[in-house]
């Protein structure tokens, strides 16, 4: 018999589904939105082309249609997902692009429209650490006091050499500055990291998770690098192929990272499935269920769980 108990999902880590069921008393579904936002490393403000791995859809390939209103996107998704899940509770998720990268008088009506949608119990806003103004911070603080708000900050790596290579156009220190502003304002933060970035060693990926764990974020997302068609990274790979992690390597790295995370940090994602129409590699990532099951199996084999190697300082 395992010496570690599992949660109601049968997992050895705190899943988002488990957390939301406990908080809201039932199934909560996230609904991805595309508000047509851009990024400062794409429009010339800080750089052009965006992060070299980012798709032409600004990593919102599975989000809504930006030509539709927020309400229309939400209604369309609830109708589609009703065949899969029976739920009347939703969290609109502004996913594509940097969703605080516009004037507040443009963004506020979009957020409020999402909150007014029937069954909405919270809001998730994906953005960058260099895209939150003082006015936006004040509004987010107010918003967090009346709904379950999560601000998702793309970090990807704590290593500035890698961040420069992928055209991130901000440093880890800049990330930390914004992180502390949000956290001191009582705002939930989800930190997004990517494994398998060009040139990074397993130790570097583990170091990223270790540094993130010390921040004690509300939640984290762990992703494998996807090589997507029509991206600068795809052009680089075609000319000079670089090493991509194998499935078993990735599973072991993620298990190491889960062990480092605080026990009460929500693990929102441990892998991602790229669009099969545009995914070049690694093709094993398209079998998302297999990767998740592999991580579960490895944690059982280790007789391990989230937080076993967490060190608060």
């Amino acid at each position: 018999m395992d010496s570690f108990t599992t949660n109601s999902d049968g997992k050895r880590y705190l899943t988002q589904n488990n957390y939301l069921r406990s908080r809201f008393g039932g199934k909560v579904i996230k609904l991805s939105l595309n508000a047509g936002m851009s990024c400062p490393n794409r429009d010339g403000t800080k750089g052009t082309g965006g992060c070299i791995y980012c798709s032409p859809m600004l990593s919102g390939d599975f989000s809504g249609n930006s030509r539709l209103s927020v309400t229309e996107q939400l209604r369309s998704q609830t109708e589609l997902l009703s065949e899969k899940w029976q739920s009347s509770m939703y969290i609109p998720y502004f996913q594509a692009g940097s969703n605080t990268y516009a004037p507040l008088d443009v963004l506020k009506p979009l957020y409020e429209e999402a909150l007014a949608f029937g069954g909405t119990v919270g809001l998730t806003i994906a953005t960058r650490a260099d895209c939150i103004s003082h006015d936006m911070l004040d509004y987010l603080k107010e918003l967090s006091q009346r709904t379950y708000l999560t601000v998702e900050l793309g970090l990807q790596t704590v290593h500035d050499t890698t961040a420069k290579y992928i055209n991130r156009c901000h440093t880890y220190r800049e990330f930390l500055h914004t992180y502390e502003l949000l956290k001191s304002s009582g705002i939930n933060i989800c930190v997004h990291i990517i494994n398998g970035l060009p040139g990074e060693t397993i130790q570097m990926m583990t170091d990223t998770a270790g540094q993130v764990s010390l921040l004690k974020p509300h939640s984290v997302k762990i992703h494998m690098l996807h090589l997507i068609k029509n991206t600068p990274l795809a052009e680089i790979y075609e000319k000079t192929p670089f090493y991509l992690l194998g499935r078993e390597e990735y599973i072991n790295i993620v298990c190491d990272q889960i062990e480092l995370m605080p026990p009460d940090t929500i693990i929102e994602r441990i892998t991602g499935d790229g669009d099969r129409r545009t995914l070049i590699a690694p093709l094993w990532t398209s079998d998302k269920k297999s990767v998740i099951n592999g991580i579960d199996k490895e944690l059982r084999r280790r007789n391990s769980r989230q937080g076993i190697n967490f060190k608060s300082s």
Side-chain angles (χ1 to χ4, degrees):
M1 179 179 293
D2 292 338
S3 61
F4 299 125
T5 58
T6 58
N7 61 30
S8 60
D9 284 337
K11 305 288 186 180
R12 289 166 171 260
Y13 54 92
L14 179 58
T15 66
Q16 185 179 47
N17 179 63
N18 185 259
Y19 174 83
L20 293 178
R21 280 187 179 277
S22 176
R23 180 171 180 138
F24 295 104
K27 178 69 176 178
V28 180
I29 301 174
K30 287 182 79 171
L31 304 172
S32 297
L33 297 168
N34 187 338
M37 296 292 139
S38 184
C39 290
N41 66 340
R42 184 177 285 265
D43 66 6
T45 302
K46 298 184 76 172
T48 58
C51 295
I52 60 175
Y53 52 76
C54 191
S55 74
M57 293 288 292
L58 283 81
S59 295
D61 302 72
F62 298 114
S63 60
N65 185 339
S66 62
R67 293 190 294 271
L68 300 178
S69 70
V70 167
T71 301
E72 289 170 330
Q73 290 184 53
L74 293 172
R75 185 179 297 121
S76 173
Q77 291 195 49
T78 55
E79 291 173 356
L80 182 65
L81 293 173
S82 65
E83 301 175 3
K84 184 177 181 181
W85 290 303
Q86 293 299 316
S87 177
S88 58
M89 292 185 288
Y90 310 107
I91 295 179
Y93 171 30
F94 287 86
Q95 179 182 17
S98 296
N99 291 278
T100 58
Y101 187 51
L104 184 57
D105 60 0
V106 171
L107 295 167
K108 186 174 180 179
L110 298 176
Y111 301 154
E112 297 295 340
E113 183 179 353
L115 287 172
F117 186 76
T120 293
V121 296
L123 195 66
T124 296
I125 301 169
T127 192
R128 290 164 50 99
D130 55 355
C131 293
I132 298 180
S133 66
H134 290 296
D135 287 346
M136 176 58 68
L137 181 65
D138 290 340
Y139 173 66
L140 292 174
K141 182 177 181 179
E142 184 269 325
L143 202 56
S144 71
Q145 294 169 352
R146 56 187 170 95
T147 194
Y148 172 60
L149 173 70
T150 302
V151 174
E152 182 178 310
L153 286 183
L155 171 61
Q156 323 316 358
T157 177
V158 300
H159 304 286
D160 286 341
T161 51
T162 306
K164 184 176 181 180
Y165 180 81
I166 63 176
N167 198 41
R168 191 70 192 160
C169 293
H170 72 66
T171 64
Y172 183 45
R173 177 173 291 186
E174 289 175 286
F175 171 88
L176 290 175
H177 174 72
T178 299
Y179 182 93
E180 292 303 328
L181 287 176
L182 289 167
K183 191 165 188 177
S184 64
S185 297
I187 298 168
N188 296 324
I189 308 163
C190 175
V191 180
H192 189 289
I193 63 176
I194 297 178
N195 291 324
L197 291 168
E200 290 215 341
T201 63
I202 291 175
Q203 185 60 55
M204 292 172 75
M205 299 172 217
T206 305
D207 288 345
T208 288
Q211 289 299 310
V212 169
S213 74
L214 296 177
L215 300 176
K216 299 180 181 179
H218 176 68
S219 52
V220 297
K221 283 186 175 181
I222 304 172
H223 203 296
M224 172 60 195
L225 176 71
H226 285 159
L227 196 60
I228 302 295
K229 293 178 181 178
N230 301 316
T231 61
L233 187 60
E235 294 180 12
I236 294 170
Y237 188 78
E238 184 178 358
K239 295 176 181 176
T240 311
F242 51 84
Y243 183 73
L244 292 169
L245 294 175
R247 177 182 175 278
E248 296 307 316
E249 283 180 296
Y250 179 80
I251 286 171
N252 276 287
I253 292 167
V254 172
C255 289
D256 291 344
Q257 293 172 326
I258 288 173
E259 290 172 344
L260 288 169
M261 290 298 158
D264 58 350
T265 289
I266 305 162
I267 312 294
E268 287 198 23
R269 178 194 289 169
I270 54 176
T271 187
D273 46 349
D275 189 334
R276 293 171 184 264
R277 297 167 299 179
T278 59
L279 179 65
I280 298 172
L283 295 179
W284 57 260
T285 61
S286 62
D287 190 354
K288 185 177 179 179
K289 185 176 181 179
S290 173
V291 178
I292 293 172
N293 289 343
I295 291 168
D296 291 341
K297 182 179 179 180
E298 176 61 18
L299 287 173
R300 288 195 301 270
R301 188 196 68 79
R302 297 182 183 190
N303 199 24
S304 190
R305 59 171 168 78
Q306 178 180 342
I308 191 172
N309 291 329
F310 169 65
K311 297 181 175 64
S312 59
S313 60

